[in-house]
Amino acid sequence: MLHLRLITPTDRTDAVIRLIEETVGTAHLAVMPGAARSPAGDIVMVDVAREAGDELIGGLRGLGIDTSGSIAVENIDLSLSTRADRAEDDAPGEGADAVLWEHLAEATHEESTLSVTYLAFLTLATMIAACGVVLDNAILIVGAMAVGPEFGPLAGFSTAVVRWRPRLAVRSLTALLVGFAVAMAVTVLFSLFMDALGLFTEERLEGERPNTAFVYAPDAFSFVVAVLAGIAGTLSLTSAKSGLLVGVAISVTTVPAAANAAVALSYGDTGQTIGSTNQLLLNLLGITLAGILTLLTQKWLWRRAR
C-alpha cells in the first residue's frame, strides 16, 4: 500500500475526493478542511494499493495538485486493515508488477545528478578498482563494483528514453560521461603517485592476472552479463527492491574496466587501455539497452493486465 498526503486548494478538494472515491483500490480517506497553511488549503490523506497508485497520481496531476498544492507519497510497510486488504484485492494487477512512473522519474532524477558526492563515490570506486587490478585482487574488484554509483545515471537515461524526458536524458548522460572522465583522470594521477611510492609497477600490470584479466578482454559474455544485470537492476528499481542493486553492481565490470584503462594509460599500455575502454563501453551499452527494453516491456504488460 501507498500513503498519499495531499494539500489541495479549497476549490479543488471536492474534485480530488471524487477522483479518489472513483479510483478502485483506495482506502482510509481523511479530509482536514483548512488545515494547510503553506500553501493554504485542505489536507487530504488516503491509502491506495500500489497497483492503483500510478493512475491516481496521474489523475491528481491532471487536476493540477502538483502545481497548486502538494502530492507526497510514502510506502506503507505494514497495514493491518480489512479495508486495505479489500482495496488491494479490488485493484487490477499485482502490486509487485506495478510501476510508479512518477516515483521512478523522481528517483532516477536524483541519482543522475552530477554532484560532488556522486563524483567522490565514482572516483573512490575507480581508485579501489585500480588497486585491485594491479594486485590482481578479486575482493577489491568486487568492493569497487559495490561502491560505484554509475547505475543511477544509466537508469535515468533509460527512464528518460521511455518517458521521453530529454532534460533527464541529457542530465544522465552528463553525469555518466563527466563522472567517468573525472574518475579516470584522477585515477591516472593516483596510479602515477602509487608508482612513485613503489606500490604500483608496470610489471604487475603486465604480468599474469588470472583474477582480473577479464576487465580488458571483452567478449560476448560481457555483453550478455551486462544485459542481464540491466534487466535485474531496472526491475529492482521499479519494484522498490533497491537492496538488489548491490547484486547488480557487482555483476558488471564498468568501474574495474575504467580503472584498468586509467592505470594502463599511466604506463602507456595502449592495448590494455583500448581493451578496457571497449569493455566499459560494452557494459554501458548492454545495461542501457536492457533498461530501455525492460521498461517498455513492463509498460506494455501493465497496460494489458489493466
Side-chain angles (χ1 to χ4, degrees):
M1 294 290 288
L2 302 173
H3 178 70
L4 272 64
R5 185 184 71 252
L6 316 172
I7 295 180
T8 66
T10 303
D11 60 342
R12 300 188 191 181
T13 300
D14 290 340
V16 168
I17 293 174
R18 282 196 301 272
L19 173 64
I20 293 172
E21 292 176 340
E22 292 171 358
T23 301
V24 177
T26 58
H28 312 142
L29 174 62
V31 182
M32 292 181 283
R37 291 292 180 268
S38 179
D42 305 327
I43 293 180
V44 179
M45 295 183 291
V46 64
D47 296 340
V48 59
R50 181 180 175 86
E51 51 268 43
D54 193 62
E55 177 186 354
L56 179 56
I57 293 172
L60 292 169
R61 295 197 67 184
L63 292 173
I65 304 304
D66 57 324
T67 56
S68 59
S70 170
I71 303 174
V73 184
E74 300 174 335
N75 281 304
I76 300 177
D77 295 326
L78 176 64
S79 179
L80 303 178
S81 166
T82 302
R83 181 68 189 88
D85 294 340
R86 191 182 310 121
E88 290 184 324
D89 292 337
D90 292 342
E94 295 293 333
D97 298 330
V99 179
L100 297 176
W101 292 102
E102 295 300 334
H103 178 270
L104 179 63
E106 183 66 24
T108 53
H109 183 275
E110 293 179 1
E111 295 294 329
S112 301
T113 301
L114 185 61
S115 62
V116 173
T117 301
Y118 168 81
L119 288 174
F121 272 117
L122 188 55
T123 301
L124 289 171
T126 308
M127 293 166 67
I128 293 171
C131 296
V133 296
V134 172
L135 297 174
D136 194 35
N137 189 315
I139 295 177
L140 292 177
I141 293 296
V142 172
M145 290 175 174
V147 173
E150 73 279 6
F151 189 80
L154 291 170
F157 182 77
S158 299
T159 302
V161 171
V162 174
R163 297 278 287 168
W164 190 241
R165 300 281 182 86
R167 292 182 63 184
L168 178 58
V170 172
R171 186 188 189 97
S172 301
L173 280 178
T174 301
L176 195 66
L177 298 178
V178 174
F180 270 111
V182 170
M184 292 173 70
V186 173
T187 303
V188 169
L189 298 177
F190 174 71
S191 177
L192 294 173
F193 174 73
M194 295 292 280
D195 180 78
L197 295 178
L199 298 176
F200 280 11
T201 63
E202 188 173 2
E203 289 74 20
R204 281 185 167 182
L205 181 71
E206 302 294 343
E208 292 292 328
R209 289 161 49 196
N211 295 320
T212 59
F214 67 92
V215 300
Y216 61 86
D219 55 20
F221 280 105
S222 301
F223 185 75
V224 170
V225 171
V227 169
L228 296 176
I231 295 172
T234 303
L235 288 175
S236 72
L237 284 178
T238 57
S239 63
K241 296 184 182 296
S242 58
L244 297 179
L245 283 177
V246 175
V248 173
I250 62 176
S251 63
V252 290
T253 56
T254 49
V255 167
N260 197 86
V263 176
L265 182 63
S266 71
Y267 285 115
D269 186 334
T270 306
Q272 284 201 37
T273 300
I274 294 175
S276 301
T277 302
N278 289 338
Q279 177 79 278
L280 172 62
L281 295 176
L282 193 63
N283 276 268
L284 294 177
L285 176 63
I287 295 173
T288 303
L289 288 176
I292 293 171
L293 292 176
T294 300
L295 290 174
L296 288 174
T297 301
Q298 287 182 289
K299 193 173 185 179
W300 178 74
L301 289 175
W302 186 248
R303 283 179 177 175
R304 287 201 62 181
R306 293 185 65 84

